[in-house]
Amino acid sequence: MEPMTVLAGIAAGLGAEACRRSETERIVVTEHVIALPMWPSALDGFRVIVASDMHVHPNAKAPGRRETRLGRILGSLDGDILVVPGDAANTRDAARIAAGIIEMARPRYGTFITFGNGEHKRGDETSPIARELSRAGRVLVNESVVLPVGGEGMAILGVDDPSEDRDRLDLAGRGLSGDLPTILLAHSPEIVTRLHRRPVDLVICGHTHGGQVCPPNGQALWTQTQTLERSSLGYGTFGPRDFARFTSRDLQRTRMFVSRGVGTAKMAVRVFCPPEVAVLTLRREAGAGT
């Protein structure tokens, strides 16, 4: 083979690798305003930072470039709470790294973490993963916590992974008034078929990676969901009209945000779908009753 041909092949390979790394490591901060019909005026403007699907490499011994960038971003953001809705890590060592990154955030009212399918990949590691992540925030697995915010009580619920039917929303909300303003963390948007079990204002999900590899318009073509259509609820904010495709129950009160997440799965590549940390500003819907 001619030397120039070899060099051209090497250059093409290096260029492809540079593009892959650029897209997978180029974490962007996205801002979203979400209007909620029953959100109290006292909580108008509440800010939620979302860092989903970190997918720290299971054999990592130290933060990589993506994790280092994520830590810097989290440390720079102003938010009331940070939520990590699953797939932070699937080994104890990776969870230790994830916890160190998450700890760099400084939300006013705390950090809340729940499990995705990743935390269950190695069953004997699930409890050690939970212990490591609990250093960085409150781990909620089919349970809840009530925060005193602005003179209001606000419930944060976290269910186990819906994609593997581990979620127990009725258990997570046991003993709580349905009138409480409520944010639910659920790894997969597949929770949509069970949302009738508990009044919820906002559901925050990940799992889909926004499609991860998308056409230029960024529309998800594949979302890793088994119980939904392949491209359904892939990324962004959704409401009752979207939910009606999957349930006949009344979910007029509820909105859902699905994040593109930070990491990758199956293939370490993203196309027209950059990793994100999302900042959600929650507003009382205009015209809502008092």
Side-chain angles (χ1 to χ4, degrees), residues 138-145 156-160 168 171-173:
R138 176 71 182 269
V139 177
L140 298 172
V141 183
N142 294 323
E143 55 191 319
S144 63
V145 63
I156 309 292
L157 277 60
V159 293
D160 206 342
R168 298 295 180 267
L171 178 61

Side-chain angles (χ1 to χ4, degrees), residues 147-163:
L147 301 179
V149 182
E152 294 274 350
M154 183 179 73
I156 309 292
L157 277 60
V159 293
D160 206 342
D161 178 38
S163 73

Side-chain angles (χ1 to χ4, degrees), residues 38-199:
M38 296 183 65
W39 199 242
S41 299
L43 297 178
D44 188 65
F46 192 83
R47 285 167 62 86
V48 182
I49 303 169
V50 184
S52 182
D53 296 270
M54 294 172 62
H55 285 286
V56 176
H57 194 281
N59 299 322
K61 301 302 180 186
R65 283 181 295 198
R66 184 175 62 207
E67 289 81 23
T68 300
R69 292 181 186 184
L70 175 60
R72 287 199 299 264
I73 289 170
L74 293 179
S76 72
L77 292 174
D78 176 46
D80 291 301
I81 61 173
L82 167 66
V83 300
V84 182
D87 277 9
N90 63 16
T91 65
R92 183 174 186 172
D93 286 344
R96 185 179 298 115
I97 292 170
I101 297 302
I102 295 167
E103 283 181 306
M104 298 182 75
R106 293 291 182 266
R108 292 180 186 84
Y109 299 103
T111 294
F112 303 93
I113 304 164
T114 197
F115 284 172
N117 53 303
E119 282 80 7
H120 294 289
K121 285 191 182 300
R122 309 181 191 199
D124 59 334
E125 295 255 16
T126 300
S127 293
I129 287 170
R131 288 196 295 271
E132 294 293 344
L133 293 177
S134 67
R135 290 173 32 219
R138 176 71 182 269
V139 177
L140 298 172
V141 183
N142 294 323
E143 55 191 319
S144 63
V145 63
V146 176
L147 301 179
V149 182
E152 294 274 350
M154 183 179 73
I156 309 292
L157 277 60
V159 293
D160 206 342
D161 178 38
S163 73
E164 296 184 346
D165 197 31
R166 297 175 183 270
D167 56 292
R168 298 295 180 267
L169 183 54
D170 50 349
L171 178 61
R174 181 178 294 174
L176 298 181
S177 167
D179 295 331
L180 272 177
T182 300
I183 295 174
L184 168 65
L185 311 184
H187 179 58
S188 171
E190 289 162 287
I191 190 69
V192 68
T193 61
R194 278 90 85 184
L195 285 178
H196 61 277
R197 296 175 181 171
R198 168 77 199 179

Side-chain angles (χ1 to χ4, degrees), residues 1-24:
M1 185 177 293
E2 292 293 327
M4 291 303 294
T5 302
V6 174
L7 289 174
I10 293 172
L14 291 173
E17 175 64 10
C19 288
R20 181 191 70 80
R21 284 191 171 184
S22 173
E23 186 77 353
T24 59

